Amino acid sequence: MNTVAQRSAHFACSNPDLCPHSTPAPPAMDSAARDKTQPALPTGSSCPGLEWPEQERAEQLARGAALKWASGIFYRPEQLARLGQYRNREVQRTCSLEARIKSVVQSYLEGVKTGVWQLAQALEAVQGAREALGQARGLLRDMAEAAQTLEPLREQVVEHKQLQALSQLLPRLRAVPAAVAHTQTLIDAQRLLEAYVSLRELEQLQEETCVPLGGLELPVFEGLGPLAEALGQAVEAAAGAAGQLARENPALLVAAVRVAEVDAGCITSLEQAPRDWRQRCLRALQQGLERVHFGTSLQPGPGELAKWLEALRVALPAELAMAEALVAPCCPPHYKVVQLWAHTLHGGLRRCLQQLLEGPELEEADTFTLLHWVLHVYQGPEMMGSLELGPEADVSDLEPLLTLENIEQLEATFVAKVQAKVAQWLQKALDGEVVEWGREQEPDTDLSGFYHSPLPAIVLQILEENIRVTRIVSVSLEQRVHGMALSELSAFLRSFTDALIRFSRDHLRGEAVVPHYVPYLLATLNHQLALSSSVSVLQPKWVVPGVLAPVEAELDKLQKRICRLVLEALLAELQPLFAALPSRRWLSSPELLDDVCKRTARFCQNFQHVRNPAVQLLLVEAERTVVLQYLSALMQGRLVCRGADERTQAAERMQHDAAQLQELFLGLGLEESVQCVPVLLALKELLNLRDPTLLGLEVAGLRQQFPDVRCEDGPGREETQERLGGANAPVTPQRGSRLRPPGPARRRVPRAAPGRTQLSAGRPAALAPSWSPSTFQPRANTCTLAGLLLPLRVLCLTPDCPQNKVTSPYA
């Protein structure tokens, strides 16, 4: 095992790459051997600039590695026996390295020798080339001197060739001025094909002359440029009048087109700009067509737009038919004459309309005509959608005449102008109606005897016609005008209400006394009914439900205002009569209430000229007004019942009055189910009480028998709908909306000792009348049965009651 390990260690140490103990290093040698193996440095090696700083470090590393290697090999004493073998092996290695170094140095030296020889050969070749170049330079210098002497001869040769060519072309050149003049004559005579042939001959002669002359231009050809331009202008003029020439002289149009096409296929050797007569011809066709139909002198003036559009409606289809029948056969197929005509007319019309919109603002009639013509007539079967136009027209890809912004602007302008005129017309109609109110005769009536005026029909006709007319243009314009119409109708109703208020104020103040004040108020109520029943004609099928709600609200306000003014007039007549209630005269004689009934009947006779359901509404409110005024007079009176006989007499008078009022309004046509008079029949029972101390219990019982009665100063839309069951429904009582569950009576009078009553002193503030004879305020006044009964306690007091002076403010 030791022998194997030694052999392995020896093999690893003899191969520095496999030795695990140290890095490879050259074997140790003495200084003499090292001096022999190192190359000799130059003489100046002692100079610091020629030393290698890495060499010393490399030697130190090598020595260290060698020592480490040797210490590892000869670490054990038994390994010293092999020292001689190691020495021999290192000597052999050193000899091998020296041999290899010698062979390398020798090969380098041989290469250097070869290179030096090649450099010598190249130097000799360079010297020979230099000498040859010097000789060639001298020869070239001599040849240049000889060429300078031959230059005059060369110029003479060129001139001789040019003179020879000119001598050959001289007969033809002499004829050039005459040919130019002849060509100009042909152009003036519109013989375009002959003129073009003559021009091409002159241009070919110019090319034949230019080549031998070396590009020299002769003065004789100076007129060819203007001549070609004159021919091009003649071709362009013929193309510009293509429509007229196709009817009168198609040969000239064909000649112009052939000249443009032939010239487009010609290739000239001269460096001149292309004439491009084909494009000029097409451009002239378009410009001439636009000039004929959309020239500056042909554009419409103020008020002439409709006539201009009608002329275009006739002229444009005829122009397209003429192009298809006459112009197209005169032109090559690739011109696509019909399509060119359609696109040119469309583009010219589009630019003309844009200029028209950029100018002064159009009137509403011109705006409407333009919108209808662009959206319907132009695209209709009479014009660009005509079935007579063949597929060559290709009008499917034409852009719209007006953009969406233009249409939006035109619609907005039209609606604004129409709105101003509609407002003016409605105001004029209202002013005429207001003038009618001050006439000395009653309002006009129709065949049925109802008050009638053409105002509602005029208003609805104005609005409905404006909406209906716009339907033939577009849905968007119809929607705009419909919204405008509803807005103007609402504004008209507000103005109508304001006019009524001024009319009533002037009449009541005496500034303008009207002989037939109430009839004209009732006539306006008929107007309101007519508008309410006919306003649905302003609602097209596409309008969502509820769009008429603002107008209906204004109609409701107008109805309330008219009814309020009528009831104010009724109150003004009745209040002087009710001022005498209650009194001894009232107890003993029915004359006071007879006068009330007569005046009421005379006042309500005019109601027969009012249409249903407004007449029922007026009767209901008139009856409520009379009953409330009657009760108010009882509450404010100073009559005191001094005994049971007087209370019985008052009860009988109240019963008689209630029956008389009931008979009055039933005779006028009021339905019995909605009457307010039965409240008086219930009140008269209180006056029949033998014991006034039972008043509180009787009031509580009557409250349960008769629900609270709600009476407003002026009729409202909600009560009207509840009582009439809708705008056009017959009058039916609607008690459910005003019923309240029965409960204990307010201010119930408790049972007291016989002969005494316990009533609060003073009159309740809630029972004070909330209106005055002169003005009729629109605030609600709720009159409950219990509230109306309490002030009647004065009529129920007995003369011996000790609380009379304290309790009753009327004593």
Side-chain angles (χ1 to χ4, degrees):
M1 295 297 292
N2 294 334
T3 305
V4 175
Q6 290 176 359
R7 290 181 179 178
S8 301
H10 172 69
F11 178 75
C13 293
S14 62
N15 295 276
D17 297 335
L18 301 176
C19 181
H21 302 289
S22 61
T23 57
M29 59 182 64
D30 54 1
S31 60
R34 187 172 63 252
D35 293 339
K36 291 181 180 181
T37 58
Q38 292 180 352
L41 297 173
T43 307
S45 60
S46 59
C47 182
L50 298 177
E51 291 182 355
W52 293 355
E54 293 84 359
Q55 182 179 2
E56 182 177 358
R57 178 171 178 79
E59 288 182 358
Q60 293 177 359
L61 292 175
R63 290 179 182 274
L67 291 176
K68 187 176 181 181
W69 173 76
S71 63
I73 292 299
F74 301 107
Y75 180 71
R76 296 181 181 178
E78 57 270 16
Q79 292 180 349
L80 296 176
R82 302 175 61 184
L83 182 61
Q85 298 178 2
Y86 284 114
R87 183 181 293 111
N88 294 333
R89 189 175 64 183
E90 294 301 327
V91 170
Q92 292 176 0
R93 182 180 294 177
T94 302
C95 293
S96 173
L97 289 174
E98 290 177 354
R100 291 168 61 185
I101 291 172
K102 287 180 180 180
S103 63
V104 170
V105 171
Q106 185 175 0
S107 64
Y108 286 165
L109 291 177
E110 291 177 355
V112 170
K113 182 178 180 181
T114 303
V116 171
W117 179 78
Q118 291 176 351
L119 289 175
Q121 294 294 327
L123 180 59
E124 293 177 1
V126 170
Q127 291 177 354
R130 182 180 299 172
E131 293 175 359
L133 287 175
Q135 295 175 1
R137 185 179 297 108
L139 294 174
L140 289 175
R141 189 180 300 109
D142 297 339
M143 290 178 66
E145 294 175 357
Q148 291 179 357
T149 57
L150 296 176
E151 185 65 25
L153 182 61
R154 183 182 295 108
E155 294 177 356
Q156 291 180 1
V157 170
V158 172
E159 292 178 358
H160 176 71
K161 290 181 179 180
Q162 292 177 353
L163 291 174
Q164 184 180 3
L166 289 176
S167 62
Q168 295 176 356
L169 298 174
L170 187 59
R172 300 173 62 185
L173 293 177
R174 289 178 178 176
V176 168
V180 171
H182 177 66
T183 305
Q184 184 63 46
T185 303
L186 294 176
I187 294 174
D188 296 339
Q190 294 186 344
R191 299 165 62 182
L192 302 182
L193 286 176
E194 298 177 14
Y196 181 73
V197 171
S198 178
L199 177 64
R200 286 299 301 162
E201 291 177 355
L202 292 174
E203 290 177 347
Q204 290 176 1
L205 179 60
Q206 184 182 15
E207 293 177 3
E208 294 175 1
T209 306
C210 185
V211 174
L213 294 181
L216 179 63
E217 296 184 0
L218 298 178
V220 72
F221 294 109
E222 291 179 355
L224 292 185
L227 187 64
E229 182 61 26
L231 181 58
Q233 292 179 358
V235 171
E236 191 173 359
Q244 181 180 359
L245 292 179
R247 290 187 293 266
E248 300 175 357
N249 189 8
L252 179 58
L253 176 62
V254 173
V257 174
R258 290 185 63 184
V259 167
E261 288 298 311
V262 172
D263 186 76
C266 292
I267 301 176
T268 59
S269 60
L270 298 177
E271 296 181 359
Q272 60 183 4
R275 288 192 284 256
D276 201 7
W277 284 354
R278 177 188 291 172
Q279 295 299 324
R280 292 178 62 180
C281 183
L282 292 174
R283 188 163 53 250
L285 285 173
Q286 297 176 350
Q287 293 176 354
L289 193 58
E290 292 183 3
R291 184 170 56 254
V292 170
H293 294 283
F294 310 111
T296 305
S297 60
L298 300 176
Q299 293 186 1
E304 299 179 355
L305 180 62
K307 185 186 300 183
W308 182 69
L309 292 176
E310 179 62 21
L312 288 180
R313 186 190 66 81
V314 178
L316 296 187
E319 187 71 34
L320 289 174
M322 184 273 299
E324 186 176 8
L326 301 178
V327 181
C330 299
C331 300
H334 64 269
Y335 272 41
K336 298 181 179 179
V337 172
V338 181
Q339 181 180 356
L340 176 66
W341 244 244
H343 285 246
T344 302
L345 291 175
H346 181 80
L349 179 59
R350 192 171 187 272
R351 285 190 293 273
C352 187
L353 292 181
Q354 292 295 331
Q355 294 176 1
L356 186 65
L357 294 181
E358 293 174 359
E361 195 174 60
L362 300 176
E363 295 296 330
E364 68 276 4
D366 292 341
T367 304
F368 179 83
T369 303
L370 179 59
L371 284 172
H372 180 260
W373 194 89
V374 169
L375 297 178
H376 297 280
V377 177
Y378 184 75
Q379 297 178 356
E382 297 181 359
M383 295 193 66
M384 304 307 286
S386 175
L387 299 176
E388 298 179 359
L389 294 178
E392 297 84 2
D394 192 16
V395 296
S396 59
D397 59 340
L398 295 178
E399 58 184 346
L401 283 178
L402 298 178
T403 62
L404 294 178
E405 292 78 7
N406 296 143
I407 295 176
E408 183 79 14
Q409 178 185 359
L410 286 175
E411 289 184 355
T413 302
F414 175 77
V415 172
K417 290 184 174 294
V418 170
Q419 184 174 7
K421 288 204 169 183
V422 166
Q424 183 179 358
W425 294 336
L426 295 180
Q427 186 61 41
K428 185 176 181 181
L430 178 59
D431 294 340
E433 183 68 18
V434 172
V435 172
E436 293 289 326
W437 294 345
R439 295 192 306 174
E440 297 292 334
Q441 57 184 2
E442 291 187 354
D444 298 332
T445 58
D446 57 10
L447 298 178
S448 300
F450 298 112
Y451 290 140
H452 172 72
S453 172
L455 177 64
I458 293 174
V459 171
L460 292 176
Q461 182 180 4
I462 291 173
L463 300 178
E464 196 272 334
E465 283 184 357
N466 282 280
I467 297 174
R468 177 174 49 82
V469 168
T470 55
R471 292 174 187 170
I472 65 176
V473 177
S474 64
V475 177
S476 61
L477 183 60
E478 183 183 4
Q479 292 175 351
R480 287 172 177 265
V481 175
H482 181 265
M484 179 274 298
L486 295 184
S487 175
E488 287 302 316
L489 181 56
S490 299
F492 170 78
L493 292 175
R494 289 191 294 270
S495 300
F496 194 89
T497 304
D498 296 339
L500 274 177
I501 294 174
R502 292 193 299 269
F503 172 68
S504 175
R505 180 190 59 196
D506 296 342
H507 173 73
L508 295 178
R509 291 179 179 177
E511 298 177 1
V513 179
V514 181
H516 303 283
Y517 172 70
V518 175
Y520 278 103
L521 288 180
L522 298 176
T524 59
L525 191 58
N526 276 343
H527 303 344
Q528 187 271 341
L529 291 175
L531 290 173
S532 298
S533 60
S534 304
V535 73
S536 59
V537 301
L538 302 179
Q539 185 172 3
K541 296 180 180 179
W542 50 263
V543 176
V544 296
V547 71
L548 297 179
V551 177
E552 293 175 351
E554 293 296 334
L555 288 171
D556 294 343
K557 292 180 182 178
L558 178 60
Q559 185 188 49
K560 291 179 181 179
R561 176 60 64 180
I562 297 172
C563 292
R564 188 174 297 116
L565 294 177
V566 172
L567 295 181
E568 284 181 3
L570 178 60
L571 280 175
E573 291 192 15
L574 298 182
Q575 279 186 346
L577 299 178
F578 282 112
L581 289 176
S583 62
R584 299 297 173 185
R585 180 185 174 191
W586 168 71
L587 286 176
S588 59
S589 174
E591 294 178 0
L592 293 178
L593 194 64
D594 290 342
D595 294 341
V596 171
C597 292
K598 289 179 182 179
R599 290 197 182 185
T600 303
R602 186 172 59 253
F603 185 90
C604 294
Q605 282 180 355
N606 293 322
F607 291 179
Q608 62 183 348
H609 300 291
V610 180
R611 295 180 180 274
N612 278 323
V615 62
Q616 284 295 320
L617 174 63
L618 288 174
L619 290 174
V620 168
E621 297 302 332
E623 191 245 5
R624 287 178 179 272
T625 302
V626 172
V627 172
L628 289 176
Q629 193 68 19
Y630 182 88
L631 293 177
S632 176
L634 292 181
M635 287 187 289
Q636 295 178 0
R638 296 180 175 274
L639 179 63
V640 178
C641 295
R642 298 182 177 83
D645 294 337
E646 290 187 359
R647 286 202 306 272
T648 302
Q649 187 180 3
E652 291 176 354
R653 174 55 56 198
M654 188 177 293
Q655 182 178 5
H656 180 271
D657 293 347
Q660 192 173 357
L661 291 176
Q662 187 174 11
E663 182 181 358
L664 168 65
F665 285 100
L666 288 177
L668 292 174
L670 181 64
E671 295 183 2
E672 186 176 1
S673 58
V674 294
Q675 279 193 324
C676 188
V677 176
V679 177
L680 300 180
L681 298 177
L683 296 180
K684 64 100 179 178
E685 299 293 336
L686 297 180
L687 301 177
N688 292 329
L689 289 177
R690 297 299 179 181
D691 187 1
T693 58
L694 302 178
L695 178 61
L697 296 178
E698 293 297 331
V699 170
L702 289 177
R703 285 199 60 216
Q704 295 181 2
Q705 181 180 0
F706 294 95
D708 292 347
V709 179
R710 178 178 176 84
C711 302
E712 292 185 357
D713 292 346
R717 180 70 177 182
E718 295 78 14
E719 284 194 38
T720 305
Q721 295 296 335
E722 290 172 356
R723 288 193 298 272
L724 304 183
N728 300 317
V731 178
T732 56
Q734 299 290 336
R735 296 169 56 90
S737 60
R738 287 175 278 141
L739 289 178
R740 285 189 285 184
R746 303 177 203 169
R747 295 191 178 185
R748 174 177 295 179
V749 181
R751 186 176 298 275
R756 300 188 64 182
T757 56
Q758 297 182 4
L759 297 177
S760 57
R763 183 173 57 179
L767 299 177
S770 59
W771 61 84
S772 60
S774 59
T775 58
F776 199 81
Q777 300 297 331
R779 61 178 181 269
N781 179 27
T782 302
C783 304
T784 63
L785 182 59
L788 292 174
L789 294 176
L790 289 178
L792 297 179
R793 65 189 182 274
V794 181
L795 300 176
C796 300
L797 294 177
T798 57
D800 55 348
C801 180
Q803 298 293 334
N804 283 348
K805 296 182 181 180
V806 180
T807 305
S808 175
Y810 309 108

